[in-house]
């Protein structure tokens, strides 16, 4: 079979903070009979020309596949419409980068979710809703623990919302064990590892925000919750986050579409990049079970 050609797409800002991770894709591609080119969105142009879909990045020829490390759903849709396989696909980009839509899907699948309101900035400013505080306010598109606030009342929620650009938010009941969560890393339909993260200083447990981490062994019941999501979505590589209730039971929290693998590498010794490239190669060669 011919060597597969792929694009690895980043925004300039995200590439600057993830250069080592990005270069691992490029460097390890040859081991899987691939050639991967790094493409920044600032150098990528797409639309319609002569009544046909167009996408171009300088002199690069179109790829067989794209590893999309952006949250640009329209870009993923354009690529797919042109017959290019995208990891993760546009449906995952559209749903999993919108917390409100993700919670809708989780509840439809029967996953436990804390009480949540879907609110606009205008609704928050009016303070006419009813909710139990303290609560957690999140913009629907925040990533990496950013744009997530612990608020003590409706006025504080309105103030926090007014100072960020998002117009849509979720307001959630504070879980029974704040400052602790588990990220389950999935590739296709498989669980490749799980990492518990915790913080004694903050209600957010994110490793990049100073939390500690370690390997977490999933129970059969916890794996069954993950499987509901892996059967619903055609994941390439993603992180599924769970928080805990007062009885130490999983509550679904969110799905990280553009997930990193630092903790997985440090604590479990897993080369997620190599596994991801192998997964993509298997799909094109017809040997993957997804």
């Amino acid at each position: 079979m011919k060597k597969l050609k792929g694009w690895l797409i980043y925004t300039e800002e995200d590439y600057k903070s993830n250069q080592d991770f990005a270069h691992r894709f490029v460097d390890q591609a040859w081991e899987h009979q691939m050639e991967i080119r790094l493409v920044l969105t600032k150098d990528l142009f797409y639309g319609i020309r002569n009544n046909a879909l167009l996408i171009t990045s300088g002199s690069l020829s179109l790829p067989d596949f794209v590893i999309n490390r952006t949250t640009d759903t329209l870009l993923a849709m354009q690529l797919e419409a042109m017959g290019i396989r995208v990891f993760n696909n546009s449906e995952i980009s559209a749903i999993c980068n919108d917390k409100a839509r993700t919670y809708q899907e989780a509840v439809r699948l029967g996953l436990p979710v804390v009480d949540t309101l879907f609110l606009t900035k205008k609704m928050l400013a009016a303070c006419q809703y009813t909710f139990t505080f303290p609560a957690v306010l999140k913009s629907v598109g925040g990533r990496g623990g950013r744009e997530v606030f612990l608020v003590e009342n409706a006025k504080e929620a309105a103030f926090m919302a007014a100072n960020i650009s998002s117009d849509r938010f979720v307001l959630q009941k504070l879980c029974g064990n704040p400052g602790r969560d588990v990220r389950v890393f999935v590739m296709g339909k498989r669980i490749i590892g799980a990492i518990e993260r915790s913080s004694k200083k903050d209600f957010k447990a994110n490793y990049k925000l100073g939390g500690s981490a370690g390997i977490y062994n999933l129970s059969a019941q916890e794996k069954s919750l993950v499987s509901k999501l892996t059967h619903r979505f055609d994941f390439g590589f993603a992180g599924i986050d769970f928080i805990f209730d007062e009885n130490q039971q999983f509550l679904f929290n969110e799905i990280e579409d553009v997930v990193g693998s630092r903790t997985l590498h440090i604590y479990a010794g897993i080369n997620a990049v190599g596994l991801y490239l192998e997964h993509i190669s298997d799909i094109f060669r017809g040997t993957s079970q997804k």
Side-chain angles (χ1 to χ4, degrees):
M1 184 173 179
K2 67 167 185 164
K3 180 182 289 187
L4 293 171
K5 294 186 177 181
W7 287 358
L8 176 67
I9 302 180
Y10 272 93
T11 66
E12 186 174 22
E13 179 182 2
D14 283 346
Y15 171 66
K16 286 179 180 178
S17 58
N18 293 281
Q19 290 186 47
D20 290 343
F21 188 63
H23 291 165
R24 285 167 59 197
F25 280 99
V26 176
D27 294 342
Q28 293 182 38
W30 67 272
E31 299 175 20
H32 303 274
Q33 291 75 54
M34 296 178 177
E35 178 186 347
I36 291 181
R37 297 290 188 93
L38 174 68
V39 177
L40 300 182
T41 53
K42 71 180 183 66
D43 301 319
L44 192 61
F45 302 93
Y46 63 98
I48 298 167
R49 178 183 293 165
N50 297 326
N51 210 39
L53 295 173
L54 165 76
I55 189 162
T56 180
S57 181
S59 60
L60 289 182
S61 58
L62 291 180
D64 299 302
F65 68 90
V66 162
I67 299 173
N68 184 23
R69 301 292 294 177
T70 80
T71 60
D72 189 338
T73 301
L74 183 64
L75 172 59
M77 292 175 67
Q78 179 89 358
L79 290 160
E80 289 166 350
M82 296 179 68
I84 299 168
R85 184 70 180 261
V86 181
F87 301 89
N88 286 320
N89 63 40
S90 61
E91 182 189 38
I92 292 170
S93 177
I95 294 176
C96 298
N97 290 302
D98 183 319
K99 290 179 174 61
R101 293 192 65 185
T102 307
Y103 294 135
Q104 285 180 335
E105 289 295 320
V107 169
R108 288 177 60 195
L109 293 171
L111 277 75
V113 177
V114 297
D115 291 350
T116 303
L117 279 182
F118 303 154
L119 299 167
T120 64
K121 186 178 291 187
K122 185 176 181 179
M123 293 165 70
L124 284 163
C127 297
Q128 293 180 347
Y129 57 90
T130 300
F131 206 73
T132 301
F133 290 90
V136 178
L137 179 71
K138 306 175 182 179
S139 70
V140 295
R143 295 167 53 202
R146 296 184 294 272
E147 298 185 358
V148 178
F149 311 97
L150 183 63
V151 291
E152 298 295 332
N153 51 59
K155 287 186 178 180
E156 186 176 355
F159 175 80
M160 291 298 184
N163 286 280
I164 58 179
S165 59
S166 177
D167 187 57
R168 294 175 51 239
F169 298 82
V170 295
L171 187 68
Q172 295 188 306
K173 177 182 175 181
L174 186 64
C175 72
N177 277 276
R180 179 184 176 218
D181 72 9
V182 170
R183 171 162 290 176
V184 182
F185 294 88
V186 297
M187 195 161 290
K189 305 300 181 188
R190 296 187 299 132
I191 296 171
I192 63 170
I195 298 293
E196 181 177 0
R197 307 177 299 181
S198 61
S199 174
K200 296 180 179 179
K201 300 179 181 180
D202 199 338
F203 73 100
K204 294 179 284 188
N206 302 66
Y207 185 73
K208 280 188 174 182
L209 299 179
S212 59
I215 294 174
Y216 185 86
N217 294 312
L218 295 163
S219 69
Q221 183 181 12
E222 290 163 348
K223 289 178 181 178
S224 71
L225 293 178
V226 176
S227 70
K228 290 181 179 182
L229 291 164
T230 57
H231 282 86
R232 163 64 181 86
F233 292 104
D234 185 16
F235 290 119
F237 179 41
I240 303 172
D241 293 349
F242 294 89
I243 52 180
F244 292 88
D245 67 15
E246 59 276 6
N247 297 315
Q248 314 303 318
Q249 300 298 304
F250 267 8
L251 294 166
F252 173 76
N253 191 33
E254 63 182 285
I255 299 173
E256 192 76 19
D257 165 24
V258 188
V259 70
S261 64
R262 182 176 299 153
T263 55
L264 197 61
H265 175 72
I266 293 173
Y267 294 101
I270 294 174
N271 176 11
V273 170
L275 290 177
Y276 201 1
L277 294 173
E278 181 180 350
H279 174 69
I280 294 170
S281 176
D282 287 347
I283 286 175
F284 275 88
R285 289 170 172 79
T287 59
S288 173
Q289 298 179 353
K290 296 186 177 181

